[in-house]
Each structure stands twice: as structure tokens, then as C-alpha cells.
Amino acid sequence: MSSQSNYHYPDALGHFGKYGGRFIPETLYAPLTELENFYRKIKDTPEFLSELEFYHKEFTGRPTPLTFAENLTKHYGKAAVYFKREDLCHTGAHKINNAIGQILIAIKMGKKRIIAETGAGQHGTAVATVCAKFGLNCTVYMGEKDIQRQAPNVARMKLLGASVVPVTSGSKTLKDATNEAIRDWVTHADNTHYIIGSAVGPHPYPMMVRDFQSVIGTETKEQLQQITGKLPDYILACVGGGSNAIGIFYPFITDESVRMIGIEAAGEGTETKKHAATLGKGSDGIFHGMRTYLIQDDKGQVIEPHSVSAGLDYPGVGPEHSYLHDIKRVQYVSATDKEALAAVKTISRTEGIIPALETAHALAYLEKLLPETKSGEIVVVNMSGRGDKDLATIMNELHIE
Amino acid sequence: MSKINLQSYIEEKNSKGEKVLSIFLTAGYPDKENFIQLALGVLESGADMLELGVPFSDPLADGPVIQASSTQAIKNGVTLNDVFAFCTEIKKRTQKPVVIMSYLNPLFHYGAEKFNEGYKKCGADGLIIPDIIPDEQPQFDEFKITSEELAAFAAPTTSPERMRYIDERKWSFLYYVGMLGTTGQSGAYSDEQIAKIGEAYSKIKNNKMLVGFGISGPDDIKKIRNHCDGVIVGSLIIKKLAEHPGKFEPVYSLIAALKNALHNEKMKNEPA
């Protein structure tokens, strides 16, 4: 796994600056420490790395291509645009990179049962997939509202043999599904591993998920080097919890010439209450076991965010993004529902790739960025997932007949 | 009225052969208007100590019963300012300790200095924060609350070394999570769980240990009472309130029954 020469986060207690850490009931201290110690012990061993590489090659479909977006590049006549094709991973998104890594850890730790939370169902599907492959019992917590909104993924998880538990507490969406998964883990940590779906939660999760997702950035660097002999000038990725973004950013953090931009969901607009722009509009808080930016009201109660994309609909954000935001290493901007939907149509028709609604937020930003770029510059967009799961929403919103 | 030192308070009870019954209420539940009456009634019915829960949207350590009461309290408009006001009023009318229980985020958002001021003014005798572990305590330093006013937690998953580490410091009390999982789990305490509690109790040297989580009635209390300095009951009370809308009597008689189970005359020489 890649390491940075002068960027050493998190620290021993899991802090990224003041963010991250462990804000948890004492009951979880032991399982989290056990996980952290185990993970640190094996993560860089040749055996583990070759096993991970083997399954990535045989099962995930790695390395994923770095595709030159020729038509789009010609259209703007400025920087060259490349897509890192995580949409071509098995199950259709980058989520499987983390699911495979974590299930290998879980198996080595002797865990028999896997739990996960899911919002749009992409992470749930990835976890159900690896559980089927490695023969582990799988329970996925999903908000009742999301179950209704994401029927195809619910069907996929069930077909793969997972049990999908509807969550009816709180706002019945991703944040509550995460609460329920943590509650399950508090009760069953002795035989159960919790595969968290993004670079969020208590230490060591943000670090571990980042490490497993950083294969995206590592491959991008090598591929672009081969094609152009250069580093990219810009890297774009959408940010919900932020796992695909940290995965592509991390290996470039110390390459100072690389400008990195994270795109959050502005929903109906950041001037309205219906958005999911945690870094743009949120404030310092403590949530899901970590200190991070949080969308909350003036009493410190967590507010349910809004985005047309269920995968960006999260009131928190990975603590490393909070840190990168504060030190201004990454610039965080946002794209609205409308802009994302328009980008889905544009990219489908110019490049022959139907992106996920989440990914479309990053793609939407190209329209603002590209006119500002210069010919000869390079922009890489993390194509984090494919849009098949969103077809019903897309067709409905775009009124395509 | 002066602040009660919880450790001395529990010690004093213990020295009289009594164990402490601490009752948790979600502040402003079932409603704001009658809450003070309920709280005072709970203390008069036999509770030795009261925990006022600050409602939070995402209470990780709590099960469905307390979660639902928390959601309702938020709907009732209960804020930290209300909790301080409740505490001030209750403390005027009781000699017993009242502690505030809150997840960290509402306090954090309120601001350390402002919180400290409100906390001191309202006369609360202690603070319980279920999502802060001793390792993250430095992030709480700015609140300027001494560890002697804070409760520490330990659970069946806590290793003997960590138990020693936690017990090195003096806390207001040690909150022992008797049952793995969230609050209000159904089912009676098993012999194995009781053995774990006994084991923990025998290791604690510097603190008073109260056992909570999943206490389902007088029978559980009879099993636990010889292995602790007191018990904490929450979900059972909230459930009773939810089952009898508009009536507090059933809660009061439940508390009397719990107290009775805790103070049975055979307590001292009963087999473990």
C-alpha cells in the first residue's frame, strides 16, 4: 500500500489533526483495538498484499482502465480529460475494493459473521458479494426509505444470500442504518466483523478504508505515467463519506503540483436546507464515532441531508477530508441535483458511459473547471460507479422517453 | 445548595448497608410540562439518584426504547437549556444527587465555556457521557469538568489491564455495562453475565461501581446487588411511561419494587 513521505496521518490515536479519533461506547474499545492491531500487523506483509492483489485481479477486475475522454476533451479544447474506471469493477463501483480487503481481514481474525450498513445499496451489494464468495453469513442494515428507493440493489443483495434488515429508527436512511450496524456490532463483536462502507467511523476504519481504496490512486499514477509521463494537474472525485475520493487523492497528497477537488452534493442548492454539502455548510461535530464536519442544527442535532443521489446523502464526512479541507490541501466544492443529472446525460452521450448519480457530481464540475484549464494540462475524474442502479431516477428526472 | 460528591454519597449509602438505585429519565419526556413533577416523584418513590438524559438524534449506545423517547423529546423541543432549567428546579426540591447524561455532540456544539457555566449554575452533581473514552479525554479538557464529576465506563469486553487503567483515576463512579449491546435489551441476566460483573467488581479498588444496561426488573436486581455498589435503570422506566400515557403512578410503584429488590433483608449473607 502506498505511503506518503511527509504526511503521517492518522496519528497513533487515529487523529487527522483534530478530527477522527474514537468517540464510542467503552464496549467497542476492545473490538476496535483488536481490529487495529491485527490490521497493522498484517497490512504490509507480502502474503496479505499478494492475496489482495490476486483477488483484485481475479475477482474485482483490477487494474481498471484509465480511459481518455476524447470527445469531451475535443469539445472544450483545453485540458485532456481521463476517467479512472471504477465503474468497471465487479458490482459496478469502487466499493468492492474495501469489501474485499476487509473480508480478508475478517476471515483471518476468525470472524464468522459480517454486518454492513448501506444507503444506495452499492456497499451492501459489494459486501453481500464478497460474503457469498468467501462463505460468510451476511447481514445488511438499510433504512426503510432507502429499501423502497433502491429496489434493484435490495434484490441483488437478497439473491446473493444476504439478509437485509429494514431500519425504522430516526430518519430511516443511511445514518440510521449506520447506527443500527454499530449497535449490532456492540452486541456481537466477538464473532462479527463490521465492514463499514466509507472512510468514516471510529479509528481504525477511516485509515483502513482509505488504505484499501488507495489502489485507485496508485493505479492512476502508474497508468498516467505510462500514457503521458506526467502527473495530473487536477483530480476530481465526488464526496459523500468520501471513500472513492480519498482513494484517488491519497497517493497524490505529497505531489504538491496536483490540485485535488472534492465535489459534494448541493442537492437543491446550498442556500436551501436540502443539501448534503457537509464540508461546505456543516460544522465541527462528533458523529458515528469520529470528530468531523457535520450537518447539524443549532442544538447539535444531526440533520438529514438531501441529494438526488442516495450515496452522497450522508450528514458526516470522512475525518481525513475534514483535515484536508482545513489545511486547504483539497478544495471542496459542490454540484446540485440538476447539474449532476445534466452531467449524466452529457457523459452518456459524449463518451458512451452512463455514470452513477454520485459520480455525476464530479463530472458536473468539469463544466466549470475545463474552460479555466490550459491545453496540455491533465484532468483525471474518478468514475466511481456506473449508473445502472439509478436508471429509474435518471429517466424520471430527465424526462427521457 | 452545594454540590454532592457522588463517590462519597455512594460510599455513605454503602456504609449503611444500602446499595444505590439510580434512575434514568429522558429530559422532557413524555412532555416538558410535567417533567419536574415526574422527576421529583421518581426520587420520592425511592430513587437515590437521578440521571437527566439530554436527547440526541443519534444515540449510539441506546436501544429502541430510549431512542424513541429521545426522538419524542426533540419533537417536544427539549434543548440543553431546558435540561439545565429542569436540573435547577429539581435540585431546589431534593437533597439527592442529579447528574446530566449526554452524548458529546450536543455539548460540543453548545460550546465548552457556555456549557461549563450552565452546568455549574444548574447544580448538577455529575456528568455521564457515553461516547467518550478515557483515551479521548484530552479533547474534553476545554470543558473544565474534573474526572471526579465524570463517570467512566467499563464493559464485559474491557480487559483486566484496561480496567486497571480506568480505575487508576477517581471518577464520580464507574458505570459498568452489565450486558453487551445497547440499553434496554430484553431477557434476564444470565449466570455468566453475573459472573463477569462479580469479576469486575472484585477488581475495582478506587471507584464505586454501578451496574446498568438491560436491567429488566426486580429479579435482575436481586442477582446483581451483591456484585456492585448500586444499579442504574433506564429503559424499563421509559417503557413503563410509554405504556401508560399520562400516568406516573405505574412508574412510581415500579421504582418502589426495584428499591425493595435492592434492599431485601437477606442482602448481606445471601449466596452470590
Side-chain angles (χ1 to χ4, degrees), chain A residues 91-128:
Chain A
T91 71
H94 70 290
K95 294 288 185 190
I96 192 130
N97 300 330
N98 170 47
I100 289 221
Q102 285 204 44
I103 203 161
L104 292 177
I105 302 269
I107 293 166
K108 288 178 204 302
M109 288 178 80
K111 306 290 177 182
K112 304 289 179 223
R113 178 173 173 264
I114 298 291
I115 55 170
E117 86 294 339
T118 199
Q122 286 303 103
H123 172 59
T125 301
V127 172

Side-chain angles (χ1 to χ4, degrees), chain B residues 22-143:
Chain B
S22 183
I23 297 292
F24 170 90
L25 293 175
T26 300
Y29 176 84
D31 56 50
K32 272 165 97 166
E33 293 68 30
N34 301 301
F35 183 72
I36 290 167
Q37 183 204 330
L38 168 67
L40 292 169
V42 161
L43 289 165
E44 279 156 23
S45 311
D48 299 304
M49 177 172 149
L50 184 68
E51 294 175 22
L52 288 181
V54 177
F56 181 48
S57 53
D58 296 81
L60 270 189
D62 287 300
V65 172
I66 291 180
Q67 257 187 83
S69 69
S70 203
T71 307
Q72 183 58 47
I74 293 170
K75 276 191 197 148
N76 295 347
V78 178
T79 66
L80 203 44
N81 286 334
D82 293 313
V83 179
F84 288 147
F86 290 146
C87 187
T88 307
E89 205 48 45
I90 296 162
K91 283 298 289 181
K92 275 186 201 157
R93 292 148 79 176
T94 185
Q95 303 294 319
K96 294 175 178 176
V98 178
V99 304
I100 291 174
M101 194 199 110
S102 178
Y103 287 87
L104 193 49
N105 197 55
L107 309 191
F108 200 72
H109 199 72
Y110 195 79
E113 209 173 305
K114 200 173 147 204
F115 177 81
N116 188 280
E117 196 181 302
Y119 168 81
K120 284 204 172 123
K121 232 181 182 171
C122 79
D125 302 295
L127 188 59
I128 305 171
I129 305 175
D131 56 353
I132 193 155
I133 54 174
D135 318 69
E136 293 287 3
Q137 209 73 38
Q139 297 222 30
F140 190 67
D141 283 351
E142 57 175 335
F143 282 78

Side-chain angles (χ1 to χ4, degrees), chain A residues 217 221 231-232 235 248-255 258 260 329:
Chain A
K221 207 173 201 176
L231 285 168
I235 303 176
I248 196 163
F249 291 163
Y250 184 59
F252 293 95
I253 282 183
T254 54
D255 296 314
V258 181
M260 302 193 277
R329 176 62 189 95

Side-chain angles (χ1 to χ4, degrees), chain A residues 15 18 21-27 29-30 169 175 179-180 182-183 186-187 283-287 291 294 296-302, chain B residues 55-62 67 74 79 104-106 108-109 130-131 133 135-136 139 153-155 157-158 162 166 180-182 185:
Chain A
H15 296 131
K18 65 180 180 181
R22 267 180 199 159
F23 295 89
I24 45 154
E26 175 66 29
T27 317
Y29 178 82
S169 59
K175 88 175 171 74
N179 288 338
E180 285 312 319
I182 295 174
R183 290 181 179 120
V186 173
T187 319
S283 56
D284 195 2
I286 307 236
F287 180 62
R291 179 167 178 182
L294 181 62
Q296 52 190 330
D297 69 11
D298 60 349
K299 306 293 184 302
Q301 307 291 355
V302 182
Chain B
F56 181 48
S57 53
D58 296 81
L60 270 189
D62 287 300
Q67 257 187 83
I74 293 170
T79 66
L104 193 49
N105 197 55
F108 200 72
H109 199 72
D131 56 353
I133 54 174
D135 318 69
E136 293 287 3
Q139 297 222 30
F153 280 79
T157 50
T158 307
R162 187 161 171 84
I166 293 169
L180 274 185
T182 50
Q185 300 220 50

